Coordinates of all heavy atoms in Angstrom, one line a residue:
I524 N 68.7 90.7 108.2 CA 69.6 90.4 107.2 C 71.0 90.5 107.7 O 71.4 91.5 108.2 CB 69.5 91.3 106.0 CG1 68.0 91.4 105.5 CG2 70.5 91.0 104.9 CD1 67.8 92.6 104.5
V525 N 71.8 89.4 107.6 CA 73.1 89.4 108.0 C 74.0 89.7 106.8 O 73.8 89.1 105.8 CB 73.6 88.1 108.8 CG1 73.5 86.9 107.9 CG2 75.0 88.2 109.4
V526 N 75.1 90.5 107.0 CA 76.1 90.7 105.9 C 77.3 90.1 106.4 O 77.9 90.5 107.5 CB 76.3 92.3 105.7 CG1 77.3 92.4 104.7 CG2 75.0 92.9 105.3
T527 N 77.8 89.1 105.8 CA 78.8 88.2 106.3 C 79.8 87.7 105.3 O 79.5 87.9 104.1 CB 78.2 87.0 107.0 OG1 79.2 86.2 107.6 CG2 77.4 86.1 106.0
S528 N 80.9 87.2 105.8 CA 81.9 86.6 104.9 C 82.8 85.7 105.8 O 82.8 85.9 107.0 CB 82.7 87.6 104.1 OG 83.6 88.2 104.9
G529 N 83.7 84.9 105.2 CA 84.7 84.2 106.0 C 85.9 85.0 106.2 O 86.6 84.9 107.2
K530 N 86.2 85.8 105.3 CA 87.5 86.6 105.2 C 87.3 88.0 105.6 O 86.3 88.6 105.3 CB 88.1 86.5 103.8 CG 89.5 87.0 103.6 CD 90.0 86.7 102.2 CE 91.4 87.1 102.0 NZ 91.6 88.5 102.0
G531 N 88.3 88.6 106.3 CA 88.3 90.0 106.7 C 88.7 90.9 105.5 O 89.3 90.4 104.6
G534 N 84.9 94.1 102.6 CA 83.8 95.1 102.4 C 82.5 94.9 103.0 O 81.5 95.4 102.6
K535 N 82.5 94.1 104.1 CA 81.2 93.8 104.8 C 80.6 95.1 105.4 O 79.4 95.3 105.2 CB 81.4 92.8 105.9 CG 81.6 91.3 105.5 CD 81.7 90.4 106.6 CE 82.8 90.7 107.5 NZ 84.2 90.7 107.0
T536 N 81.5 95.8 106.1 CA 80.9 97.0 106.8 C 80.5 98.1 105.8 O 79.5 98.8 105.9 CB 81.9 97.5 107.8 OG1 82.2 96.5 108.8 CG2 81.4 98.8 108.6
S539 N 77.2 96.8 104.5 CA 76.2 97.0 105.5 C 75.7 98.4 105.6 O 74.5 98.7 105.6 CB 76.7 96.5 106.9 OG 77.1 95.2 106.9
V555 N 70.9 99.3 111.5 CA 72.1 98.5 111.2 C 72.9 98.4 112.4 O 73.1 99.3 113.2 CB 72.9 99.2 110.0 CG1 73.2 100.6 110.3 CG2 74.2 98.4 109.7
I556 N 73.2 97.1 112.8 CA 73.9 96.8 114.0 C 75.3 96.3 113.8 O 75.5 95.5 113.0 CB 73.1 95.7 114.8 CG1 71.6 96.0 115.0 CG2 73.7 95.4 116.1 CD1 70.8 94.9 115.5
D557 N 76.3 96.9 114.6 CA 77.6 96.5 114.5 C 77.9 95.4 115.5 O 77.8 95.6 116.7 CB 78.5 97.7 114.8 CG 80.0 97.4 114.5 OD1 80.4 96.3 114.3 OD2 80.8 98.4 114.5
F558 N 78.2 94.2 115.0 CA 78.5 93.0 115.8 C 79.9 92.8 116.1 O 80.4 91.9 116.8 CB 77.9 91.7 115.2 CG 76.5 91.5 115.5 CD1 75.5 92.2 114.7 CD2 76.0 90.6 116.4 CE1 74.1 91.9 115.0 CE2 74.7 90.3 116.6 CZ 73.8 91.0 116.0
D559 N 80.8 93.7 115.6 CA 82.2 93.6 115.8 C 82.7 94.2 117.1 O 83.4 95.2 117.1 CB 82.9 94.2 114.5 CG 84.3 93.6 114.4 OD1 84.8 92.8 115.2 OD2 85.0 94.0 113.4
V560 N 82.3 93.6 118.2 CA 82.6 94.1 119.5 C 84.2 94.1 119.7 O 84.9 93.1 119.4 CB 81.9 93.2 120.6 CG1 82.4 93.7 122.0 CG2 80.4 93.3 120.5
K613 N 84.0 89.9 122.7 CA 82.8 89.3 122.0 C 82.0 88.4 122.9 O 80.9 88.1 122.6 CB 83.3 88.6 120.7 CG 83.8 89.6 119.7 CD 84.4 88.9 118.4 CE 84.8 89.9 117.3 NZ 85.7 90.9 117.8
V637 N 69.7 95.1 109.7 CA 70.9 94.7 109.0 C 72.0 94.4 110.0 O 72.3 95.3 110.8 CB 71.4 95.7 108.0 CG1 72.6 95.3 107.3 CG2 70.3 96.0 107.0
C638 N 72.5 93.2 110.1 CA 73.5 92.8 111.0 C 74.9 92.8 110.4 O 75.1 91.9 109.5 CB 73.2 91.4 111.6 SG 71.6 91.4 112.4
D639 N 75.8 93.7 110.8 CA 77.1 93.8 110.2 C 78.0 92.8 111.0 O 78.4 93.1 112.1 CB 77.6 95.2 110.3 CG 79.0 95.4 109.7 OD1 79.4 94.6 108.8 OD2 79.8 96.2 110.2
S640 N 78.4 91.7 110.3 CA 79.1 90.6 111.1 C 80.6 90.9 111.0 O 81.1 91.3 110.0 CB 78.8 89.3 110.4 OG 79.6 88.3 110.9
P641 N 81.3 90.5 112.1 CA 82.8 90.5 112.0 C 83.2 89.3 111.1 O 82.4 88.4 110.8 CB 83.2 90.2 113.4 CG 82.0 89.7 114.1 CD 80.8 90.2 113.4
A642 N 84.5 89.3 110.7 CA 85.0 88.2 109.9 C 85.1 86.9 110.7 O 85.2 87.0 111.9 CB 86.3 88.6 109.3
G643 N 85.2 85.8 110.0 CA 85.5 84.5 110.6 C 84.3 83.8 111.1 O 83.2 84.1 110.8
I644 N 84.6 82.9 112.1 CA 83.5 82.0 112.6 C 83.5 82.0 114.1 O 83.0 81.1 114.7 CB 83.7 80.6 112.1 CG1 85.1 80.1 112.4 CG2 83.4 80.5 110.6 CD1 85.3 78.6 112.1
E645 N 84.0 83.1 114.7 CA 84.0 83.2 116.2 C 82.7 83.7 116.7 O 81.7 83.9 115.9 CB 85.2 84.1 116.7 CG 85.4 85.4 115.9 CD 84.3 86.3 116.1 OE1 83.9 86.7 117.2 OE2 83.8 86.9 115.1
K646 N 82.5 84.0 118.0 CA 81.3 84.2 118.6 C 80.5 85.3 118.0 O 79.3 85.3 117.8 CB 81.4 84.4 120.1 CG 80.1 84.5 120.9 CD 80.3 84.5 122.4 CE 79.0 84.5 123.1 NZ 79.1 84.5 124.6
G647 N 81.2 86.5 117.8 CA 80.5 87.7 117.2 C 79.8 87.4 115.8 O 78.7 87.8 115.6
A648 N 80.6 86.6 115.0 CA 80.0 86.2 113.7 C 78.8 85.3 113.8 O 77.8 85.4 113.2 CB 81.1 85.6 112.9
F649 N 79.0 84.3 114.8 CA 77.8 83.4 115.0 C 76.6 84.1 115.5 O 75.5 83.9 115.1 CB 78.3 82.3 116.0 CG 77.1 81.4 116.4 CD1 76.7 80.5 115.5 CD2 76.5 81.6 117.6 CE1 75.6 79.6 115.9 CE2 75.5 80.7 118.0 CZ 75.0 79.8 117.1
M650 N 76.8 85.1 116.4 CA 75.6 85.8 116.9 C 75.0 86.7 115.8 O 73.8 86.8 115.8 CB 76.1 86.8 118.0 CG 76.5 86.0 119.3 SD 75.0 85.2 120.1 CE 75.7 84.3 121.4
A651 N 75.8 87.2 114.9 CA 75.3 88.0 113.8 C 74.4 87.2 112.9 O 73.4 87.7 112.4 CB 76.4 88.7 113.1
L652 N 74.8 86.0 112.6 CA 74.0 85.2 111.7 C 73.0 84.3 112.3 O 72.1 83.8 111.6 CB 75.0 84.3 110.9 CG 75.8 83.1 111.5 CD1 75.0 81.8 111.7 CD2 77.0 82.8 110.7
I659 N 73.5 88.2 103.1 CA 74.3 88.7 102.0 C 75.7 88.3 102.2 O 76.4 88.7 103.2 CB 74.2 90.2 101.9 CG1 72.8 90.7 101.6 CG2 75.2 90.8 100.8 CD1 72.6 92.2 101.7
I675 N 81.4 79.8 105.2 CA 80.3 80.5 106.0 C 78.9 80.0 105.5 O 78.0 79.9 106.3 CB 80.5 82.0 105.7 CG1 81.7 82.5 106.6 CG2 79.2 82.8 106.1 CD1 81.5 82.5 108.1

Side-chain angles (χ1 to χ4, degrees):
I524 305 168
V525 64
V526 179
T527 185
S528 74
K530 190 173 183 290
K535 285 185 303 300
T536 301
S539 296
V555 55
I556 306 174
D557 190 348
F558 276 79
D559 203 355
V560 175
K613 291 174 176 60
V637 178
C638 302
D639 179 29
S640 172
I644 55 174
E645 43 68 51
K646 187 171 182 180
F649 173 75
M650 287 295 174
L652 68 80
I659 295 176
I675 284 293

